[in-house]
Amino acid sequence: MPEEVIVVRESKNLTGTVQISGAKNSALKLIAASILGQGESIIHNVPLISDIDIMCRVLERLGATVVREGHALRVDTTNVADKETPYELVSKMRASISALGPMVARFGHARMAMPGGCQIGARKIDMHLVGMSVLGVKFSVDHGFLEASAPNGLHGGEIMLEFASVGATENTMMTAVVAEGHTIIENAAREPEIVDLANMLNAMGCKVQGAGNSTIEIEGVPLSSLHPCEHTTVGDRIEAGTFLVGGALMGGPLRVEGINPSFLRMAIIKLKQMGCTVSTGDNWIEVSREGELKPTDIQTLPHPGFPTDLQAQFMLLCSLAKGSSLVTENVFENRFMFAEELMRMGADVNLEGHHAVVEGVDKLMGAPVSCSDLRAGAALVLAGVAAEGETVVHDIYHIDRGYEDYVGKLQSLGADVKRVKVGHSDVWR
Ligand code: EPZ
């Protein structure tokens, strides 16, 4: 079967304004949450990406009707039934697990294929299960399927997450909203997408307080009191951060619009440390750079710490900085595959466990490279914009999972980049 690749050549600059799409890592959960409001919810600012398509198929498989109208989704969950979420969908996108909480909340039961790991790590769900167990959910595993039930109903409780897991916070929240009594989630994830989900849940009639802080408090309400709603997804801070790195890399000025700058405070601090000028408005951020890139140290952490989803993009910046940078990946156990591809383009990176020592070089060289995950893929394309010659990026389906029209947006900023269908004979590997 012919493969589609991204061919990118050294470009003069990345400059201009780009509209940021809705956040993939929020919209996926908002779609799942619509299971709780038995009727038609409308979700705006939903990105046109393949992960969303898969989540829509999950909902349809469960009995929902989903209609896409541009960047809006009409999700009617009236006829959702207590059905199995099949392996062929969960294996394509582990975020399908976000349907677990809403299904247990609505039916007191759920049967879902266990999500597998992926290139960046085991992606376990033990904390999801521990959190939901406190609320009365019992779990068993049967031939690769997770069976969840609440034989004595759902009741509030006190949950202390071992790690501020985004997914565990979300599933626990979406179960607790109908659990009788009061629930406290401590060491909750604080990502902006958690706040977005809580806002939609509250618009459906839930009582969630404290989202965005480490302690979230929930007052359970009857399922019958919940109703559909209309909600607009927040902007995608990781897409925005990816383009800002492009502007920092090439000089800019580059402006991202449709993003709340407070979502990227740590990334902005790091861009400034690396010699960039950054200005912000209510819903935009602009970056430019005149002087040379300066080295910095990056520690990925749960929000508001430095986002792991921008680690590859900033490692690229560090690879061209004048000096030595230390990148430490604390969130996932195996998220340095990007470094191995970057080294093929001439970067000087030494990997030591979850540390990467990056010595800046003067120039990267174009090469055939392959995406290991969507963020690494996006960073490889940016590397090709800066590198001498031509870079051919393979396995670009990773990028299409989370970036809407990435090539088109880069072209609008002046990148020499295009998508090309190649037959097997032309493969550059
Ligand atoms: C979400 O994944 C995002 N995905 C990830 O974005 C993001 O990198 C991650 O949060 C951290 O911000 C979506 O929202 C769809 P976690 P999630 O639970 O929820 C371990 C991207 O590029 N863990 O916070 O899976 C886990 O293995 C993707 O858009 C357990 O051990 O992240 C990981 O090492 C990549 N047990 C760490 O915690 C659990 O029960 C963080 O996981 C849950 C998690």
Side-chain angles (χ1 to χ4, degrees):
M1 178 156 88
E3 181 195 6
E4 193 170 25
V5 296
I6 290 177
V7 178
V8 48
R9 292 192 179 88
E10 183 174 10
S11 309
K12 283 194 177 24
N13 197 352
L14 288 177
T15 184
T17 298
V18 63
Q19 287 304 319
I20 296 303
S21 302
K24 164 178 88 81
N25 292 347
S26 180
L28 290 171
K29 294 56 170 298
L30 302 177
I31 295 168
S34 67
I35 291 169
L36 292 167
Q38 298 162 58
E40 182 182 75
S41 288
I42 303 172
I43 306 170
H44 296 283
N45 201 28
V46 176
L48 298 166
I49 55 176
S50 57
D51 268 11
I52 294 290
D53 298 340
I54 296 172
M55 185 55 98
C56 291
R57 282 168 52 199
V58 169
L59 266 284
E60 287 169 335
R61 182 65 71 91
L62 295 172
T65 309
V66 183
V67 177
R68 164 85 75 177
E69 292 173 350
H71 286 97
L73 274 186
R74 290 179 175 277
V75 189
D76 189 334
T77 61
T78 309
N79 299 319
V80 164
D82 179 8
K83 293 179 183 172
E84 176 181 286
T85 304
Y87 176 70
E88 83 252 14
L89 288 176
V90 178
S91 60
K92 282 193 175 65
M93 185 189 63
R94 59 177 311 282
S96 313
I97 195 72
S98 304
L100 178 66
M103 288 298 284
V104 170
R106 180 157 166 182
F107 299 105
H109 175 264
R111 180 175 166 83
M112 179 172 284
M114 292 283 281
C118 68
Q119 294 259 46
I120 63 178
R123 310 299 296 273
K124 298 187 304 180
I125 58 167
D126 54 308
M127 294 181 221
H128 299 233
L129 308 188
V130 166
M132 293 172 71
S133 302
V134 169
L135 305 173
V137 185
K138 310 284 182 217
F139 293 99
S140 61
V141 178
D142 159 38
H143 293 88
F145 280 81
L146 182 69
E147 196 84 32
S149 60
N152 307 315
L154 295 170
H155 54 76
E158 293 198 9
I159 293 124
M160 178 81 184
L161 292 177
E162 198 176 320
F163 177 88
S165 153
V166 170
T169 302
E170 292 161 340
N171 258 327
T172 306
M173 247 167 59
M174 292 191 279
T175 306
V177 292
V178 296
E180 195 173 335
H182 193 73
T183 295
I184 297 177
I185 305 173
E186 292 190 83
N187 196 23
R190 297 173 54 189
E191 276 70 4
E193 294 77 33
I194 301 283
V195 178
D196 202 25
L197 175 60
N199 289 339
M200 179 170 167
L201 290 170
N202 288 340
M204 296 170 81
C206 299
K207 291 181 180 166
V208 180
Q209 290 191 326
N213 301 305
S214 294
T215 301
I216 295 175
E217 302 211 34
I218 296 168
E219 207 56 52
V221 297
L223 175 68
S224 56
S225 70
L226 300 184
H227 50 80
C229 74
E230 191 158 359
H231 181 86
T232 298
T233 315
V234 293
D236 192 318
R237 62 194 166 96
I238 304 304
E239 184 196 21
T242 303
F243 282 106
L244 289 172
V245 164
L249 189 69
M250 304 305 289
L254 187 153
R255 178 177 291 204
V256 292
E257 279 187 352
I259 186 66
N260 178 338
S262 71
F263 292 177
L264 281 166
R265 285 187 3 243
M266 187 56 76
I268 290 171
I269 287 169
K270 288 298 169 184
L271 287 172
K272 288 178 177 174
Q273 281 179 4
M274 298 187 81
C276 298
T277 302
V278 181
S279 52
T280 61
D282 290 346
N283 74 337
W284 59 265
I285 306 168
E286 185 167 292
V287 65
S288 61
R289 177 175 59 85
E290 260 105 46
E292 62 189 21
L293 272 172
K294 299 182 183 116
T296 189
D297 293 340
I298 302 274
Q299 285 263 17
T300 68
L301 286 166
H303 193 79
F306 189 91
T308 174
D309 294 346
L310 288 178
Q311 182 251 101
Q313 299 90 320
F314 272 78
M315 185 182 285
L316 166 60
L317 275 186
C318 293
S319 76
L320 289 167
K322 296 286 179 251
S324 177
S325 301
L326 178 63
V327 178
T328 305
E329 173 56 56
N330 295 306
V331 177
F332 287 102
E333 63 265 37
N334 184 30
R335 204 168 193 176
F336 280 148
M337 278 83 61
F338 167 72
E340 287 146 23
E341 290 301 288
L342 200 61
M343 288 182 228
R344 299 182 55 246
M345 299 178 73
D348 178 353
V349 183
N350 276 301
L351 299 178
E352 295 283 331
H354 70 147
H355 297 293
V357 178
V358 186
E359 296 294 345
V361 295
D362 292 337
K363 196 75 177 161
L364 295 173
M365 293 165 287
V369 290
S370 171
C371 305
S372 52
D373 67 87
L374 71 158
R375 309 304 174 185
L380 284 170
V381 176
L382 290 181
V385 171
E388 186 184 286
E390 179 175 275
T391 298
V392 179
V393 184
H394 295 264
D395 302 321
I396 61 172
Y397 61 90
H398 284 289
I399 298 174
D400 294 336
R401 294 188 52 175
Y403 287 87
E404 178 181 332
D405 191 20
Y406 190 51
V407 167
K409 291 183 179 181
L410 284 171
Q411 286 169 343
S412 73
L413 296 167
D416 179 352
V417 60
K418 60 186 180 212
R419 296 176 76 109
V420 175
K421 281 197 186 339
V422 292
H424 291 291
S425 56
D426 309 324
V427 168
W428 276 273
R429 283 185 199 281

